[in-house]
Amino acid sequence: MVSRVIPVDDFDLVIFGGTGDLAQRKILPGLYRRFCSGQMPESARIIGAARADLDSNGWRDMVRASIAEFSSVNRCDDARIDAFLMRLEYVSVDARGENGWKELARLVRKDIVHAFYFSVSPSLFGDLADRLYLHKIGNSDSRIVVEKPFGRDLKSAKELNATLAKHFDETQIYRIDHYLGKETVQNLMAVRFGNILFEPLWNSQYVDHIQITVAETVGVGGRGEYYDKSGAMRDMVQNHLMQLLCLIAMEPPSRFEPDEVRDEKLKVIRALEPVDPHHIVRGQYGPTDEKPDYREDVGDARSRTESFIALRTHISNWRWAGTPFYLRTGKKLKARTSEIVVVFKDAPHSIFGPEAGTHSNILRIRLQPNEGMTLGVTIKEPGPGGMRLLDVPLDMSFAETLGDDIADIPDAYERLIMDVIRGNQTLFMRGDEVEAAWAWTDPIIEGWERRHDVPKPYDVGSTGPEDALMMMHRDGRRWREIKE
Ligand code: BG6
């Protein structure tokens, strides 16, 4: 199988915050890989814009080092890297002053696709938008790209949406949630809506419950200042886990088009029930003797921010009434793994008698690492001597099935940036979706604040606090093991 690479139209992409961490780790190495794969037209240009007093050559040196460090592609030779770097220009601009804007206006070409990536603090979004408008940089089709965190509650998200709406139409705004750019996350839609097999069973009549786990082994070291003001709820649940929940639970959209897909996701978020405080567990890693704990990582000995969360929620609609959704995410856990597990109900009656035990089908969708799907089916244990039952997996590892093609798959950022250039908003969050997600999240966080809730400690390298296991246990269920 050979992957198809469809070149995009000529473009100028301006990266505000072009010297920052995200630009250097993800955006630029990603663009370089797209350039290597032949997707970027030869004449396309990337313009870095930041406060740092650099010239284009200085920025190119910086980007060369980032490509060497963060790009896994090794098939590109020095000549290709040089060719890519020649697409790069740099302008020193002051988001809150006049410096650099005239030069930027001169650099950005007319009558091609323009994208402005705001890889800066959200407090600067308004300033950048105003100045682009003032200096007439771009046109009515220009796209702006913004990153999470998109607000820290409903009020601030509304303010940000209003700030952007002053100069840009919703069709021009691309809010990135990089989980939506992951190959396997999109595969969720293909599995659900490309097959007849699962859909008839995809409801509360047949599904006992759904678990979504995003476990990480990394801590918050290096990002402590940001993270301690956010916590797992704002950093992961409000966005990434929420998007996974939407894709797994939404109704089939009539077409794979931006608004059709986003309308269905929005309905799921709006149908989420408030979470009962008894069905939510917050945790914080450490302390252990030899490993630094969370409070040391963030430099606040009294921090009450959670680095782990497990919760149960329900979706109030015809399809899902009565089926619990369990979400769990945390840092410094036992293994790095993200997966969605659909646990089907037991067969209504066992013809094999009680000694055969109860068996349920389980569909496990592994998002990362080792992307793939496993469907647990019950068979007869081989051999003579009565009917004993056994659960075995029907296993599909994408790496084994798709071979080299999977190694060549663009990472989330590459794909999403190319979608911006193509003008395809399907994998980006709409303003109302983000607001609805905050409307569900806010009361949960306010509840903790009101009660001065203190997260439960958990060991580094564990599966999170005991209480998370107990929460499931009380429901007569158990979490899937966290393992790679
Ligand atoms: C980011 C969060 O959005 O996603 C990080 O801010 C988290 O805290 C990261 O580590 C996880 O992304 P991935 O792609 O490694 O699963």
Side-chain angles (χ1 to χ4, degrees), residues 297-334:
D297 279 351
V298 300
D300 176 358
R302 294 191 326 185
S303 169
R304 290 203 306 246
T305 304
E306 77 286 351
S307 59
F308 173 97
I309 220 158
L311 63 84
R312 185 185 88 178
T313 185
H314 283 92
I315 299 172
S316 297
N317 63 17
W318 273 48
R319 185 188 284 266
W320 292 119
T323 300
F325 285 75
Y326 297 92
L327 314 186
R328 171 175 64 160
T329 184
K331 301 223 178 264
K332 291 251 169 131
L333 295 177
K334 194 173 157 199

Tab-separated table of all heavy atoms in Angstrom, residues 297-334:
chain	number	residue	atom	x	y	z
A	297	ASP	N	7.753	19.345	41.973
A	297	ASP	CA	7.790	19.679	40.542
A	297	ASP	C	7.197	21.058	40.254
A	297	ASP	O	7.641	21.756	39.348
A	297	ASP	CB	7.026	18.635	39.717
A	297	ASP	CG	7.869	17.395	39.442
A	297	ASP	OD1	9.072	17.422	39.740
A	297	ASP	OD2	7.303	16.395	38.950
A	298	VAL	N	6.152	21.427	40.989
A	298	VAL	CA	5.521	22.726	40.698
A	298	VAL	C	6.010	23.817	41.654
A	298	VAL	O	5.629	24.981	41.514
A	298	VAL	CB	3.972	22.662	40.741
A	298	VAL	CG1	3.448	21.660	39.727
A	298	VAL	CG2	3.449	22.323	42.130
A	299	GLY	N	6.837	23.438	42.614
A	299	GLY	CA	7.404	24.430	43.526
A	299	GLY	C	6.382	25.046	44.474
A	299	GLY	O	6.468	26.218	44.804
A	300	ASP	N	5.385	24.248	44.877
A	300	ASP	CA	4.419	24.757	45.846
A	300	ASP	C	4.093	23.624	46.822
A	300	ASP	O	3.381	22.672	46.476
A	300	ASP	CB	3.144	25.226	45.118
A	300	ASP	CG	2.062	25.684	46.098
A	300	ASP	OD1	2.293	25.605	47.333
A	300	ASP	OD2	0.993	26.118	45.629
A	301	ALA	N	4.608	23.751	48.019
A	301	ALA	CA	4.498	22.664	49.000
A	301	ALA	C	3.057	22.421	49.444
A	301	ALA	O	2.768	21.404	50.081
A	301	ALA	CB	5.364	22.997	50.210
A	302	ARG	N	2.147	23.364	49.103
A	302	ARG	CA	0.761	23.172	49.551
A	302	ARG	C	-0.225	23.055	48.399
A	302	ARG	O	-1.433	23.206	48.584
A	302	ARG	CB	0.387	24.320	50.476
A	302	ARG	CG	1.228	24.266	51.756
A	302	ARG	CD	0.751	25.165	52.791
A	302	ARG	NE	0.192	26.404	52.252
A	302	ARG	CZ	-0.209	27.393	53.013
A	302	ARG	NH1	-0.142	27.288	54.310
A	302	ARG	NH2	-0.688	28.490	52.493
A	303	SER	N	0.325	22.808	47.208
A	303	SER	CA	-0.556	22.767	46.039
A	303	SER	C	-1.678	21.737	46.202
A	303	SER	O	-1.451	20.630	46.681
A	303	SER	CB	0.260	22.411	44.787
A	303	SER	OG	-0.621	22.128	43.734
A	304	ARG	N	-2.880	22.138	45.774
A	304	ARG	CA	-4.013	21.210	45.825
A	304	ARG	C	-4.499	20.854	44.416
A	304	ARG	O	-5.643	20.464	44.211
A	304	ARG	CB	-5.164	21.838	46.616
A	304	ARG	CG	-4.871	21.950	48.104
A	304	ARG	CD	-6.171	22.026	48.887
A	304	ARG	NE	-7.013	23.091	48.390
A	304	ARG	CZ	-7.332	24.185	49.077
A	304	ARG	NH1	-6.861	24.349	50.302
A	304	ARG	NH2	-8.122	25.095	48.557
A	305	THR	N	-3.595	21.018	43.452
A	305	THR	CA	-3.982	20.735	42.055
A	305	THR	C	-3.879	19.240	41.778
A	305	THR	O	-2.956	18.595	42.262
A	305	THR	CB	-3.038	21.503	41.112
A	305	THR	OG1	-3.098	22.875	41.461
A	305	THR	CG2	-3.427	21.324	39.659
A	306	GLU	N	-4.803	18.722	40.962
A	306	GLU	CA	-4.790	17.279	40.687
A	306	GLU	C	-3.940	16.955	39.460
A	306	GLU	O	-3.998	17.666	38.463
A	306	GLU	CB	-6.221	16.745	40.499
A	306	GLU	CG	-6.895	17.030	39.168
A	306	GLU	CD	-7.358	18.470	39.003
A	306	GLU	OE1	-7.318	19.239	39.981
A	306	GLU	OE2	-7.774	18.829	37.872
A	307	SER	N	-3.148	15.863	39.579
A	307	SER	CA	-2.407	15.371	38.413
A	307	SER	C	-3.049	14.072	37.926
A	307	SER	O	-2.530	13.412	37.031
A	307	SER	CB	-0.943	15.120	38.783
A	307	SER	OG	-0.865	14.178	39.834
A	308	PHE	N	-4.171	13.716	38.568
A	308	PHE	CA	-4.896	12.492	38.191
A	308	PHE	C	-6.369	12.764	38.381
A	308	PHE	O	-6.764	13.467	39.312
A	308	PHE	CB	-4.478	11.333	39.110
A	308	PHE	CG	-5.294	10.079	38.913
A	308	PHE	CD1	-4.821	9.053	38.107
A	308	PHE	CD2	-6.536	9.905	39.537
A	308	PHE	CE1	-5.565	7.883	37.920
A	308	PHE	CE2	-7.283	8.753	39.344
A	308	PHE	CZ	-6.790	7.739	38.539
A	309	ILE	N	-7.163	12.170	37.511
A	309	ILE	CA	-8.599	12.281	37.689
A	309	ILE	C	-9.290	11.027	37.168
A	309	ILE	O	-8.857	10.458	36.163
A	309	ILE	CB	-9.138	13.539	36.998
A	309	ILE	CG1	-10.189	14.172	37.866
A	309	ILE	CG2	-9.718	13.286	35.670
A	309	ILE	CD1	-10.397	15.582	37.568
A	310	ALA	N	-10.281	10.573	37.899
A	310	ALA	CA	-11.114	9.479	37.406
A	310	ALA	C	-12.543	9.892	37.706
A	310	ALA	O	-12.825	10.376	38.813
A	310	ALA	CB	-10.783	8.179	38.125
A	311	LEU	N	-13.429	9.746	36.748
A	311	LEU	CA	-14.811	10.149	37.005
A	311	LEU	C	-15.794	9.303	36.212
A	311	LEU	O	-15.426	8.648	35.241
A	311	LEU	CB	-15.012	11.634	36.696
A	311	LEU	CG	-14.813	12.153	35.277
A	311	LEU	CD1	-16.075	11.963	34.440
A	311	LEU	CD2	-14.492	13.641	35.309
A	312	ARG	N	-17.032	9.346	36.674
A	312	ARG	CA	-18.097	8.646	35.964
A	312	ARG	C	-19.132	9.667	35.510
A	312	ARG	O	-19.526	10.533	36.282
A	312	ARG	CB	-18.777	7.661	36.915
A	312	ARG	CG	-19.800	6.807	36.223
A	312	ARG	CD	-20.546	5.942	37.194
A	312	ARG	NE	-21.702	6.648	37.716
A	312	ARG	CZ	-22.586	6.122	38.566
A	312	ARG	NH1	-22.409	4.916	39.034
A	312	ARG	NH2	-23.631	6.811	38.977
A	313	THR	N	-19.511	9.570	34.270
A	313	THR	CA	-20.549	10.475	33.788
A	313	THR	C	-21.564	9.690	32.951
A	313	THR	O	-21.337	8.535	32.606
A	313	THR	CB	-19.942	11.656	32.986
A	313	THR	OG1	-20.981	12.567	32.632
A	313	THR	CG2	-19.242	11.199	31.723
A	314	HIS	N	-22.682	10.340	32.672
A	314	HIS	CA	-23.711	9.723	31.833
A	314	HIS	C	-24.108	10.695	30.732
A	314	HIS	O	-23.986	11.909	30.890
A	314	HIS	CB	-24.965	9.398	32.663
A	314	HIS	CG	-24.816	8.180	33.502
A	314	HIS	ND1	-24.381	8.227	34.798
A	314	HIS	CD2	-25.035	6.873	33.218
A	314	HIS	CE1	-24.345	6.993	35.291
A	314	HIS	NE2	-24.734	6.159	34.358
A	315	ILE	N	-24.611	10.152	29.661
A	315	ILE	CA	-25.107	10.990	28.568
A	315	ILE	C	-26.623	10.797	28.514
A	315	ILE	O	-27.108	9.678	28.321
A	315	ILE	CB	-24.468	10.562	27.231
A	315	ILE	CG1	-22.942	10.730	27.319
A	315	ILE	CG2	-25.034	11.358	26.072
A	315	ILE	CD1	-22.187	10.169	26.139
A	316	SER	N	-27.329	11.909	28.717
A	316	SER	CA	-28.796	11.808	28.766
A	316	SER	C	-29.378	11.882	27.366
A	316	SER	O	-29.783	12.961	26.917
A	316	SER	CB	-29.375	12.979	29.549
A	316	SER	OG	-28.952	12.964	30.843
A	317	ASN	N	-29.385	10.786	26.675
A	317	ASN	CA	-30.119	10.735	25.411
A	317	ASN	C	-30.619	9.310	25.185
A	317	ASN	O	-30.342	8.415	25.991
A	317	ASN	CB	-29.281	11.274	24.230
A	317	ASN	CG	-28.038	10.450	23.950
A	317	ASN	OD1	-27.916	9.315	24.398
A	317	ASN	ND2	-27.104	11.036	23.225
A	318	TRP	N	-31.366	9.095	24.128
A	318	TRP	CA	-31.987	7.779	23.919
A	318	TRP	C	-30.947	6.685	23.775
A	318	TRP	O	-31.114	5.584	24.250
A	318	TRP	CB	-32.872	7.823	22.656
A	318	TRP	CG	-34.252	8.285	22.966
A	318	TRP	CD1	-34.583	9.371	23.712
A	318	TRP	CD2	-35.462	7.659	22.567
A	318	TRP	NE1	-35.939	9.477	23.793
A	318	TRP	CE2	-36.504	8.439	23.083
A	318	TRP	CE3	-35.777	6.542	21.798
A	318	TRP	CZ2	-37.838	8.115	22.882
A	318	TRP	CZ3	-37.107	6.217	21.581
A	318	TRP	CH2	-38.120	7.007	22.131
A	319	ARG	N	-29.858	7.006	23.086
A	319	ARG	CA	-28.867	5.967	22.819
A	319	ARG	C	-28.149	5.509	24.094
A	319	ARG	O	-27.874	4.337	24.274
A	319	ARG	CB	-27.840	6.491	21.814
A	319	ARG	CG	-26.840	5.429	21.378
A	319	ARG	CD	-25.722	6.029	20.545
A	319	ARG	NE	-26.128	6.332	19.187
A	319	ARG	CZ	-25.966	5.509	18.137
A	319	ARG	NH1	-25.425	4.330	18.321
A	319	ARG	NH2	-26.340	5.869	16.947
A	320	TRP	N	-27.856	6.465	24.969
A	320	TRP	CA	-26.923	6.144	26.054
A	320	TRP	C	-27.514	6.172	27.464
A	320	TRP	O	-26.778	5.918	28.423
A	320	TRP	CB	-25.704	7.077	26.003
A	320	TRP	CG	-24.852	6.829	24.803
A	320	TRP	CD1	-24.574	7.717	23.803
A	320	TRP	CD2	-24.174	5.607	24.452
A	320	TRP	NE1	-23.771	7.131	22.857
A	320	TRP	CE2	-23.507	5.831	23.237
A	320	TRP	CE3	-24.065	4.345	25.038
A	320	TRP	CZ2	-22.746	4.851	22.598
A	320	TRP	CZ3	-23.304	3.362	24.402
A	320	TRP	CH2	-22.662	3.625	23.207
A	321	ALA	N	-28.803	6.480	27.605
A	321	ALA	CA	-29.365	6.556	28.965
A	321	ALA	C	-29.062	5.258	29.705
A	321	ALA	O	-29.331	4.165	29.206
A	321	ALA	CB	-30.868	6.778	28.883
A	322	GLY	N	-28.438	5.362	30.877
A	322	GLY	CA	-28.154	4.178	31.692
A	322	GLY	C	-26.768	3.579	31.485
A	322	GLY	O	-26.355	2.713	32.241
A	323	THR	N	-26.035	4.012	30.478
A	323	THR	CA	-24.677	3.470	30.271
A	323	THR	C	-23.649	4.423	30.863
A	323	THR	O	-23.523	5.558	30.397
A	323	THR	CB	-24.360	3.325	28.760
A	323	THR	OG1	-25.306	2.451	28.193
A	323	THR	CG2	-22.965	2.769	28.545
A	324	PRO	N	-22.911	4.008	31.888
A	324	PRO	CA	-21.904	4.919	32.416
A	324	PRO	C	-20.663	5.028	31.523
A	324	PRO	O	-20.274	4.050	30.890
A	324	PRO	CB	-21.523	4.300	33.768
A	324	PRO	CG	-22.113	2.953	33.811
A	324	PRO	CD	-23.025	2.767	32.643
A	325	PHE	N	-20.102	6.211	31.497
A	325	PHE	CA	-18.827	6.458	30.822
A	325	PHE	C	-17.820	6.795	31.917
A	325	PHE	O	-18.045	7.716	32.702
A	325	PHE	CB	-18.944	7.645	29.852
A	325	PHE	CG	-19.698	7.298	28.596
A	325	PHE	CD1	-21.073	7.159	28.614
A	325	PHE	CD2	-19.029	7.107	27.394
A	325	PHE	CE1	-21.775	6.824	27.469
A	325	PHE	CE2	-19.720	6.773	26.242
A	325	PHE	CZ	-21.098	6.631	26.275
A	326	TYR	N	-16.750	6.040	31.977
A	326	TYR	CA	-15.709	6.278	32.979
A	326	TYR	C	-14.498	6.896	32.281
A	326	TYR	O	-13.991	6.341	31.306
A	326	TYR	CB	-15.285	4.965	33.637
A	326	TYR	CG	-16.390	4.290	34.413
A	326	TYR	CD1	-17.213	3.344	33.805
A	326	TYR	CD2	-16.606	4.603	35.753
A	326	TYR	CE1	-18.227	2.726	34.510
A	326	TYR	CE2	-17.632	3.979	36.470
A	326	TYR	CZ	-18.436	3.044	35.840
A	326	TYR	OH	-19.440	2.436	36.547
A	327	LEU	N	-14.059	8.033	32.776
A	327	LEU	CA	-12.885	8.693	32.196
A	327	LEU	C	-11.767	8.689	33.228
A	327	LEU	O	-12.012	8.906	34.417
A	327	LEU	CB	-13.186	10.149	31.810
A	327	LEU	CG	-14.472	10.464	31.042
A	327	LEU	CD1	-14.494	11.936	30.649
A	327	LEU	CD2	-14.594	9.619	29.793
A	328	ARG	N	-10.544	8.485	32.767
A	328	ARG	CA	-9.413	8.452	33.710
A	328	ARG	C	-8.174	8.979	32.995
A	328	ARG	O	-7.880	8.587	31.868
A	328	ARG	CB	-9.216	6.996	34.136
A	328	ARG	CG	-7.989	6.705	34.920
A	328	ARG	CD	-7.958	5.257	35.395
A	328	ARG	NE	-7.892	4.285	34.306
A	328	ARG	CZ	-7.481	3.020	34.437
A	328	ARG	NH1	-7.124	2.572	35.623
A	328	ARG	NH2	-7.455	2.194	33.404
A	329	THR	N	-7.459	9.854	33.652
A	329	THR	CA	-6.189	10.337	33.098
A	329	THR	C	-5.268	10.741	34.238
A	329	THR	O	-5.736	11.161	35.302
A	329	THR	CB	-6.398	11.516	32.116
A	329	THR	OG1	-5.125	11.871	31.558
A	329	THR	CG2	-6.968	12.758	32.791
A	330	GLY	N	-3.974	10.610	34.008
A	330	GLY	CA	-3.057	11.024	35.059
A	330	GLY	C	-1.624	11.006	34.598
A	330	GLY	O	-1.286	10.422	33.564
A	331	LYS	N	-0.807	11.687	35.385
A	331	LYS	CA	0.632	11.761	35.088
A	331	LYS	C	1.393	10.862	36.048
A	331	LYS	O	0.920	10.540	37.128
A	331	LYS	CB	1.116	13.194	35.237
A	331	LYS	CG	0.379	14.151	34.328
A	331	LYS	CD	1.316	15.130	33.681
A	331	LYS	CE	0.583	16.060	32.743
A	331	LYS	NZ	0.617	15.660	31.357
A	332	LYS	N	2.628	10.493	35.618
A	332	LYS	CA	3.498	9.621	36.419
A	332	LYS	C	2.790	8.338	36.813
A	332	LYS	O	2.852	7.903	37.960
A	332	LYS	CB	4.002	10.359	37.665
A	332	LYS	CG	4.989	11.480	37.359
A	332	LYS	CD	6.385	11.142	37.780
A	332	LYS	CE	7.385	12.143	37.238
A	332	LYS	NZ	8.307	12.676	38.154
A	333	LEU	N	2.093	7.751	35.869
A	333	LEU	CA	1.434	6.465	36.132
A	333	LEU	C	2.353	5.332	35.662
A	333	LEU	O	3.454	5.568	35.192
A	333	LEU	CB	0.074	6.419	35.440
A	333	LEU	CG	-0.960	7.431	35.947
A	333	LEU	CD1	-2.246	7.337	35.147
A	333	LEU	CD2	-1.263	7.220	37.439
A	334	LYS	N	1.826	4.151	35.764
A	334	LYS	CA	2.606	2.933	35.519
A	334	LYS	C	3.112	2.806	34.075
A	334	LYS	O	4.184	2.301	33.820
A	334	LYS	CB	1.667	1.767	35.838
A	334	LYS	CG	2.284	0.458	35.977
A	334	LYS	CD	1.204	-0.494	36.460
A	334	LYS	CE	1.571	-1.912	36.114
A	334	LYS	NZ	0.399	-2.766	36.147
